[in-house]
Amino acid sequence: MATEESNKDLTLAEQEAFKRNGSRKSKRFLVSQKVKTTRLRRIHNLFWNDDTLYNSDNSNTNSNSIDKEEVTCTGKRKRNDGKQTPELTDPESHANDPSQIEMNFGGRLKLKRIHSSPHIYTIDDFFTDKELQKIKEKIIQAEKQKWFQKSFVDGQENTKRKNDEQDSLVEEGKVQRTSSFIHFSKLSDSTIASIENRAADLLSLPNHSIEPLQLVRYEQGNYFHDHHDLGVLYEDGSVELPHKSLLTPPRRIITILVYLNDLPDDDENPCGGSTIFPSLGKGVDELAIRPKENRAVMWCNIKKDGTPDERLVHRGETLYGDAVKYAMNIWACEDS
């Protein structure tokens, strides 16, 4: 039987369910299940195999080394010859990554690692020219038809705070996210289907693991405060793993964010709009990725043990001036 003491580490929703159902629901039944990672072979190779978080005993091992399984799984992988470390071509690439690792997929997609531990990749020219043109046509149509709607964060506009007694919602007096969005139905046309299949193939996952594509728009003054794509972010930096059930949205394990337009990059008149990872550096050294047309940024929201990776907390910087930012969210979710 679950006790009052055992309820302390349940989520708010689970605590309420326990109160309603009493002894009929045990803590073992209610507590969130970890994401199963044993079959995520491509994701293992891309994000976990040489992450120092899981290989602290072998921290002196060359991070560029690869095993036969990874070569077979991901194709050719370019690496530095060890004599010198080339500068990353992106000026905002993070300085704590001494290597430049590139991977080729199917002869077209090239993944460039811009941060190690946790691993974050950029992929230029993620869409084909035809796909990019079709998406821009969809944006024009959506603007004319006023299809964009106010964004939300899984039904919550508050952040959560943990204290010694219980979890409680904290009224911040501000909205967590002010962008707008539209969704595209699964396999709604050949362009959407092609994008979904490319993301699935990239991660060696079935198409149904790809969530319906989301197109987001940021206008003047729009932002998305610190958040995590997998679950609710607490003020202490921890992330709540959502409960897995038929009534909850699928759990997002991989994020692929594709920018659909360039933003001005003028130091004298900054317009904001970067994607910032505050846990990966401090102050001016925070990892900041500048939007570039048709550039994708990819990261993994879970750790090797199936729990949220708190290092991947990020935010959409406030947009200033007359610029408008468009991007597409592609989320790969846990297979049911």
Side-chain angles (χ1 to χ4, degrees), residues 43-318:
I43 293 172
H44 270 272
N45 289 328
L46 283 172
F47 296 101
W48 301 327
N49 278 358
D50 57 352
D51 188 330
T52 56
L53 178 67
Y54 316 112
N55 300 286
S56 57
D57 294 337
N58 302 316
S59 57
N60 294 327
T61 303
N62 185 348
S63 63
N64 288 334
S65 62
I66 52 177
D67 55 30
K68 293 181 180 179
E69 179 184 17
E70 187 168 358
V71 173
T72 302
C73 187
T74 63
K76 296 180 180 178
R77 180 171 177 176
K78 299 179 181 179
R79 48 184 173 149
N80 185 16
D81 59 8
K83 295 181 180 179
Q84 61 180 5
T85 302
E87 294 183 358
L88 296 178
T89 56
D90 189 338
E92 288 188 329
S93 295
H94 207 234
N96 76 349
D97 181 13
S99 63
Q100 178 163 334
I101 300 175
E102 293 186 357
M103 303 180 188
N104 294 340
F105 288 83
R108 195 180 78 80
L109 292 186
K110 295 182 180 180
L111 280 66
K112 179 185 294 183
R113 187 187 297 175
I114 62 169
H115 189 279
S116 290
S117 189
H119 297 351
I120 299 177
Y121 298 89
T122 58
I123 312 170
D124 287 343
D125 301 319
F126 186 83
F127 300 134
T128 65
D129 292 341
K130 183 178 180 181
E131 289 168 349
L132 185 60
Q133 181 60 37
K134 289 291 186 181
I135 295 170
K136 289 183 177 181
E137 292 173 1
K138 292 177 184 293
I139 291 175
I140 294 173
Q141 184 181 15
E143 294 285 11
K144 288 182 178 180
Q145 300 295 330
K146 301 185 183 302
W147 288 342
F148 282 97
Q149 55 184 298
K150 181 181 177 182
S151 298
F152 57 90
V153 187
D154 291 335
Q156 295 194 26
E157 293 294 350
N158 302 305
T159 57
K160 284 186 176 182
R161 174 184 296 159
K162 283 185 175 181
N163 55 45
D164 293 334
E165 297 181 359
Q166 64 178 7
D167 299 335
S168 61
L169 290 175
V170 181
E171 296 291 342
E172 290 292 332
K174 58 184 179 183
V175 178
Q176 174 73 0
R177 182 181 187 183
T178 60
S179 58
S180 52
F181 79 102
I182 57 175
H183 273 124
F184 298 109
S185 301
K186 289 285 291 181
L187 303 172
S188 58
D189 60 35
S190 59
T191 299
I192 299 303
S194 177
I195 295 170
E196 291 175 359
N197 288 332
R198 182 174 305 116
D201 290 344
L202 175 63
L203 300 168
S204 194
L205 294 173
N207 180 282
H208 66 256
S209 294
I210 305 301
E211 190 173 319
L213 306 183
Q214 182 191 79
L215 179 65
V216 293
R217 178 187 65 185
Y218 289 79
E219 299 177 294
Q220 182 178 7
N222 285 173
Y223 58 80
F224 195 168
H225 289 313
D226 288 0
H227 64 282
H228 195 281
D229 287 350
L230 177 61
V232 174
L233 172 65
Y234 286 92
E235 285 191 340
D236 65 359
S238 63
V239 177
E240 180 179 82
L241 179 65
H243 178 61
K244 182 179 180 180
S245 75
L246 296 176
L247 301 179
T248 56
R251 302 192 289 191
R252 298 165 175 168
I253 57 178
I254 298 290
T255 296
I256 303 175
L257 174 64
V258 190
Y259 303 115
L260 299 174
N261 63 300
D262 296 327
L263 286 182
D265 192 10
D266 186 351
D267 292 337
E268 295 183 359
N269 299 292
C271 71
S274 294
T275 303
I276 298 176
F277 295 81
S279 298
L280 308 181
K282 295 182 179 179
V284 296
D285 292 327
E286 289 177 329
L287 174 60
I289 301 174
R290 195 78 192 142
K292 178 183 177 182
E293 184 178 271
N294 209 7
R295 169 173 289 177
V297 185
M298 182 173 69
W299 64 87
C300 182
N301 296 307
I302 59 172
K303 293 185 287 191
K304 193 175 182 179
D305 64 359
T307 59
D309 192 337
E310 295 90 351
R311 300 173 297 175
L312 275 308
V313 169
H314 58 286
R315 65 176 176 268
E317 187 181 27
T318 302

